[in-house]
Amino acid sequence: MFIFTLYLFLWSWLSSTHSLEFRYHNTVEIEQYLKDINRTYPNITYLHSIGQSVEGRELWVLILGQHPREHRTGIPEFKYVGNMHGNEVVGRVLLLQLIDYLTSHYLSDPLVTRMLNSSRVHILPSMNPDGFESSARDCMYTIGRYNKNGVDLNRNFPDAFEANSDQQREKEVRAVMDWLKTETFVLSANLHGGAVVASYPYDNGGIELQGGQSVAPDNDVFVHLARTYSFSHSEMHKGDSCYDSNDFTDGITNGYYWYPLKGGMQDYNYVWAQCLELTLEISCCKFPPETDLPGLWQANKPALLAYMQQVHLGVKGVVMDSNGNPVQNAVVEVDGRRNLCPFRTDRNGEYYRLLLPGNYTITVTYPGHKTVTQTISLTYGPDTFSALTKNFLLQKSDYSTTVTQPLQFCTTPNQIISENNSAALLPSTLIALSAFTLQRLLLS
């Protein structure tokens, strides 16, 4: 008991010896800060780079959790990404403050402790450090928005609704795409500035246009996630925080309804990486005075924490073959949710489905095994920091099982970022795109 008490005292002392100023830290300072945090809290943090910017700056990611160095079965992966647009800087500041808060409150704050013990949190403070270093301190103009090559990174991802597979991928975008292959992220948000609203997929439009919105199969979950952030924020839910911006009911919006966006990161996360992502616009001014930063942190802190907790929505589990071995690429479908790319188990045989409380029918298919269909009842997982665990043990089949095949763009992200940057579209994809084009013409 004495040793444990001493450990807590030392931890508290270490926490109090470092504090983060509310100011704009340059890229060198951020790197040093992250390394200091990693040295101070080696048991709950792990620092690594996912790649480099055009000018060679490292894209540092700090992982926080009880087991930061490796994934553990049943522990969902969460991420925040900031500063995708170099001149939208508040997210960069808030994510550093969040790191400071999580590390300094672990073991002393029950919410933070349970959060880090039950999930693995990845934070990329700056996706566009080159843009930040070239930014002008201006509220509205675009100096520094783009990367060194003058490319908007949030228009550079492969798009399920556009034939943009021949587009050159920027180094920062390639780094994020490769990052998504190494972790099975469940929930994510990227932080922007210039408005105060939580925006959800789809950003681009397909054949699911309803009332001016591009509606995703998991629209109910996206609306819940957006409202969670908005109503946990001191101002966002009011919907009119910026005098020169749109009014947003409840402080949320469908991305396409706000304005169509081709090649966005949140749609890419959702369609290809099975990760539900929001775009959080968190400040009216893109580069506000440093005196505004403490207030912006206080306004966003409860929302950042509440949103992280939503990684425990729904159901999770492992799909195993008849011998009890986890299987990769088993299709796990929820009745009534026809995702463009079916959700599949990862290399650990795991699946995660963010779902609201209710009854759902889940179908699992895997070649050479009998299809399994079961109905489950879900409660609100974030309250207990755990989604419902539902494992599936499959039985061998005497006949060949037909597994639903996704459209080709679901299985060709590697082709899309290959050296020749080309990938053919299946006829079914072309039909969907043609229908979308026709619909746009009719609505224009």
Side-chain angles (χ1 to χ4, degrees):
M1 183 64 183
F2 171 75
I3 295 176
F4 181 70
T5 303
L6 179 62
Y7 176 74
L8 287 178
F9 172 78
L10 291 173
W11 190 283
S12 177
W13 180 80
L14 284 171
S15 301
S16 64
T17 58
H18 85 278
S19 60
L20 188 64
E21 295 178 88
F22 281 103
R23 65 178 180 85
Y24 296 116
H25 298 79
N26 64 34
T27 302
V28 173
E29 290 173 321
I30 286 182
E31 179 176 335
Q32 186 59 53
Y33 172 74
L34 293 176
K35 289 180 177 179
D36 288 344
I37 284 287
N38 188 213
R39 279 193 294 267
T40 304
Y41 303 98
N43 293 328
I44 60 166
T45 65
Y46 174 65
L47 181 64
H48 70 114
S49 172
I50 61 169
Q52 293 184 332
S53 66
V54 173
E55 291 189 314
R57 295 181 172 93
E58 300 292 340
L59 303 180
W60 291 109
V61 171
L62 187 74
I63 306 176
L64 303 98
Q66 195 173 31
H67 304 285
R69 291 180 173 271
E70 61 183 6
H71 174 76
R72 295 295 179 96
T73 299
I75 301 297
E77 307 285 344
F78 176 93
K79 65 180 168 71
Y80 274 132
V81 175
N83 202 210
M84 185 181 198
H85 291 144
N87 66 327
E88 297 173 15
V89 296
V90 174
R92 176 182 172 114
V93 172
L94 296 193
L95 292 184
L96 292 178
Q97 291 293 332
L98 180 63
I99 289 170
D100 184 78
Y101 184 82
L102 293 175
T103 53
S104 64
H105 285 75
Y106 183 67
L107 294 183
S108 63
D109 183 307
L111 174 65
V112 171
T113 304
R114 294 190 72 181
M115 194 98 70
L116 295 188
N117 286 349
S118 62
S119 60
R120 193 160 169 252
V121 180
H122 306 244
I123 298 179
L124 170 58
S126 181
M127 182 180 165
N128 186 5
D130 297 351
F132 173 84
E133 296 298 339
S134 66
S135 293
R137 296 199 175 196
D138 188 273
C139 270
M140 300 306 296
Y141 294 116
T142 60
I143 298 174
R145 174 185 178 91
Y146 310 109
N147 76 343
K148 180 62 177 178
N149 291 335
V151 175
D152 188 330
L153 300 181
N154 207 28
R155 307 294 188 277
N156 192 240
F157 282 84
D159 195 305
F161 304 114
E162 302 281 349
N164 72 337
S165 60
D166 60 343
Q167 184 177 349
Q168 181 67 37
R169 307 295 162 208
E170 294 300 304
K171 284 188 69 175
E172 299 88 349
V173 168
R174 286 174 178 259
V176 170
M177 291 172 67
D178 289 342
W179 184 29
L180 294 178
K181 299 173 197 170
T182 66
E183 304 284 356
T184 303
F185 289 111
V186 179
L187 180 61
S188 174
N190 68 89
L191 280 58
H192 289 252
V196 177
V197 65
S199 175
Y200 55 89
Y202 290 121
D203 271 334
N204 206 350
I207 57 177
E208 297 297 328
L209 293 176
Q210 300 175 17
Q213 300 190 33
S214 185
V215 180
D218 295 289
N219 188 69
D220 59 336
V221 181
F222 278 123
V223 170
H224 166 79
L225 292 170
R227 286 173 60 88
T228 295
Y229 196 93
S230 176
F231 279 87
S232 300
H233 188 284
S234 63
E235 300 293 330
M236 186 179 288
H237 62 277
K238 299 176 183 178
D240 59 353
S241 300
C242 304
Y243 73 92
D244 57 349
S245 181
N246 297 353
D247 289 342
F248 301 101
T249 303
D250 291 338
I252 70 173
T253 185
N254 174 263
Y256 183 90
Y257 184 81
W258 187 13
Y259 60 90
L261 189 159
K262 169 184 172 182
M265 184 165 70
Q266 74 174 8
D267 282 6
Y268 180 83
N269 268 267
Y270 177 50
V271 172
W272 270 297
Q274 304 182 169
C275 175
L276 277 65
E277 177 168 292
L278 297 190
T279 298
L280 301 174
E281 302 278 354
I282 53 174
S283 62
C284 300
C285 180
K286 295 182 178 182
F287 210 134
E290 290 178 332
T291 53
D292 291 354
L293 297 179
L296 288 166
W297 165 242
Q298 291 303 320
N300 284 276
K301 180 179 73 173
L304 290 166
L305 295 172
Y307 185 76
M308 291 167 62
Q309 202 169 340
Q310 300 307 303
V311 77
H312 297 296
L313 279 173
V315 60
K316 63 185 179 181
V318 177
V319 177
M320 296 164 283
D321 63 18
S322 56
N323 295 317
N325 300 313
V327 296
Q328 185 175 6
N329 285 328
V331 174
V332 181
E333 295 182 292
V334 179
D335 188 40
R337 295 169 190 264
R338 188 163 179 81
N339 297 91
L340 285 176
C341 297
F343 278 56
R344 296 171 179 264
T345 55
D346 63 14
R347 60 184 176 273
N348 302 308
E350 287 184 276
Y351 74 94
Y352 293 84
R353 289 304 309 255
L354 296 184
L355 297 167
L356 301 182
N359 296 323
Y360 298 89
T361 299
I362 296 181
T363 299
V364 180
T365 51
Y366 185 67
H369 290 73
K370 295 178 181 179
T371 296
V372 174
T373 299
Q374 293 187 13
T375 298
I376 61 173
S377 181
L378 299 179
T379 56
Y380 187 63
D383 282 345
T384 58
F385 292 84
S386 179
L388 173 73
T389 298
K390 177 60 179 176
N391 298 326
F392 291 91
L393 179 63
L394 306 180
Q395 299 298 320
K396 282 189 175 180
S397 174
D398 295 331
Y399 54 88
S400 176
T401 301
T402 301
V403 179
T404 302
Q405 293 299 320
L407 297 179
Q408 184 167 338
F409 59 69
C410 297
T411 57
T412 57
N414 291 330
Q415 289 183 358
I416 290 171
I417 62 170
S418 64
E419 291 301 318
N420 58 15
N421 288 300
S422 63
L425 293 175
L426 286 180
S428 53
T429 310
L430 295 174
I431 291 171
L433 293 173
S434 298
F436 170 53
T437 302
L438 177 60
Q439 190 170 27
R440 275 188 167 176
L441 291 172
L442 292 174
L443 291 173
S444 62

